[in-house]
Amino acid sequence: MTAVPNSLAIDMYRRMQRIRQFEATASELLARGEIAGGLHTTTGQEAAIVGACLALTREDYMVGTHRSHGHPIGKGARLDRLMAELLARATGVNCGKGGSMHLSDFSVGSLGETSIVGSGFPIATGAALGSKMQKNGRVALCFFGDGASSEGTFHESLNIASIWKLPVIYFCENNGYAISTPAHETISVQDIAVRAAGYGMPGHVVDGQDVLAVYAVTHDAVERARAGQGPTLIEAKTYRFQEHAAGLKIGEYRREEEIQRWQARDPIQLFRRELVEKHVLSAEHLDAIDREVAAEINQAVEFGLNSPHPQPHDAYDHVFVDPLLPLEEVR
């Protein structure tokens, strides 16, 4: 077990449980009709998210993907405002306008998450450039999926980040599938991390179900970035336990034995077992954390459902120009 303070180990477990329970509850709300639109869960990928996010400070930047609830939770965002956002309420992190796939929470450095595959690369790279120019010491962490590694933005961003030695970590959550297409059918290499060599940066493959291993490799990349040594590409081998999107039935593209094999490596259960065996925390203590998180989730749902919906005129807030203003006032 990688040596980390007990307080950090507890935080890791708590944040992974927050993601797991948040996703399960959000799926239930979707089935009840309380949440509209697509809902892409990160169930099974909690260790990759939390291990990477906890290697950062609260002030560091983070960019997510369309599978977007786990990333801000891993970064420390408030659960009540995240749940309110999914429920399209005015108290949400984006005032109910972003929904499930377009979250941002600047209070924890979460710069945004979109449904456009590969769109996060330029944003994270730009944030890292801004950090370098301002000399504020902040690092940018860019999450992306295996499919995004074949986008043009991947090449452009990694190339310029390497040339300018930008403080950015490109973190691939390789869960093996682009919706229903296996990664090996669309990617020319077995490990996406080997592509780092083409940009003159370090590339690392890590077990995405091992939160401590993810934390260790990301921590080293963060320290390297802060020291002015440039970007790093990390690939976490992980797996999504649920469908591409909650309630979406695509067909038989995964074998049942494959799903069961990965579920046997549930990142939360693996970490829980390790914490108990190493006498870091007792099973009773971990059970108590589970109950505390369940209470947090219940409070978040209550907060969201009791919050007001945005009003029609709110659509013109947070835009460059209010089209309802008189032309003279706009000028």
Side-chain angles (χ1 to χ4, degrees):
M1 180 172 176
T2 302
V4 297
N6 282 6
S7 59
L8 179 57
I10 293 171
D11 202 7
M12 287 176 171
Y13 184 81
R14 187 183 300 276
R15 293 194 191 198
M16 285 198 290
Q17 269 293 353
R18 281 174 176 160
I19 295 173
R20 178 66 60 90
Q21 295 192 36
F22 186 98
E23 299 288 42
T25 302
S27 297
E28 293 173 3
L29 291 169
L30 178 78
R32 283 165 40 188
E34 299 285 358
I35 294 176
L39 190 85
H40 304 75
T41 65
T42 51
T43 305
Q45 301 180 203
E46 294 91 350
I49 295 169
V50 171
C53 284
L54 279 175
L56 304 174
T57 67
R58 188 179 182 89
E59 292 72 30
D60 286 326
Y61 303 121
M62 186 272 292
V63 176
T65 68
H66 64 284
R67 198 170 298 284
S68 58
H69 321 136
H71 301 124
I73 295 174
K75 195 67 167 60
R78 284 175 49 178
L79 300 182
D80 54 357
R81 297 196 65 214
L82 283 175
M83 189 65 77
E85 185 62 34
L86 267 62
L87 292 163
R89 305 304 168 110
T91 55
V93 287
N94 303 120
C95 304
K97 303 174 187 177
S100 171
M101 286 189 285
H102 301 90
L103 299 168
S104 64
D105 187 350
F106 289 3
S107 70
V108 295
S110 175
L111 301 184
E113 313 189 335
T114 81
S115 58
I116 302 173
V117 176
S119 63
F121 294 120
I123 296 171
T125 305
L129 174 59
S131 178
K132 183 171 183 176
M133 294 174 69
Q134 296 174 70
K135 299 180 181 179
N136 59 23
R138 295 179 180 177
V139 169
L141 173 66
C142 180
F143 285 104
F144 65 99
D146 44 278
S149 68
S150 299
E151 293 286 339
T153 50
F154 174 87
H155 165 73
E156 296 168 30
S157 298
L158 271 69
N159 185 60
I160 202 167
S162 182
I163 292 169
W164 290 346
K165 292 192 179 300
L166 300 182
V168 55
I169 293 97
Y170 299 104
F171 192 97
C172 178
E173 296 174 89
N174 187 349
N175 61 22
Y177 291 90
I179 304 182
S180 61
T181 304
H184 66 80
E185 292 185 7
T186 60
I187 298 172
S188 61
V189 290
Q190 182 174 345
D191 298 322
I192 292 168
V194 303
R195 292 181 170 175
Y199 304 100
M201 69 178 69
H204 303 286
V205 177
V206 65
D207 180 2
Q209 307 307 89
D210 184 341
V211 65
L212 293 173
V214 173
Y215 172 80
V217 71
T218 309
H219 180 271
D220 289 347
V222 168
E223 291 300 301
R224 182 175 181 274
R226 289 202 210 283
Q229 296 175 5
T232 300
L233 173 60
I234 298 172
E235 177 186 4
K237 303 286 190 180
T238 185
Y239 198 78
R240 57 171 166 81
F241 290 173
Q242 307 301 328
E243 267 295 354
H244 169 70
L248 179 65
K249 301 299 181 183
I250 300 174
E252 301 298 327
Y253 64 93
R254 300 192 293 183
R255 299 188 307 275
E256 186 61 32
E257 55 266 33
E258 174 186 294
I259 298 173
Q260 292 177 359
R261 185 173 67 252
W262 278 97
Q263 287 179 337
R265 300 200 69 247
D266 184 319
I268 295 178
Q269 294 305 316
L270 289 177
F271 192 45
R272 180 187 176 96
R273 188 157 56 243
E274 189 167 12
L275 290 172
V276 173
E277 290 175 355
K278 299 296 182 181
H279 305 290
V280 177
L281 291 171
S282 67
E284 291 75 19
H285 192 165
L286 293 168
D287 289 342
I289 292 176
D290 295 351
R291 291 191 294 270
E292 290 168 5
V293 170
E296 290 178 15
I297 299 296
N298 289 336
Q299 291 170 6
V301 173
E302 184 178 358
F303 173 83
L305 291 176
N306 290 329
S307 294
H309 287 282
Q311 296 302 305
H313 60 78
D314 293 336
Y316 302 109
D317 289 341
H318 310 113
V319 294
F320 289 109
V321 175
D322 186 342
L324 300 183
L325 289 174
L327 184 59
E328 294 76 14
E329 191 172 337
V330 172
R331 287 173 177 164

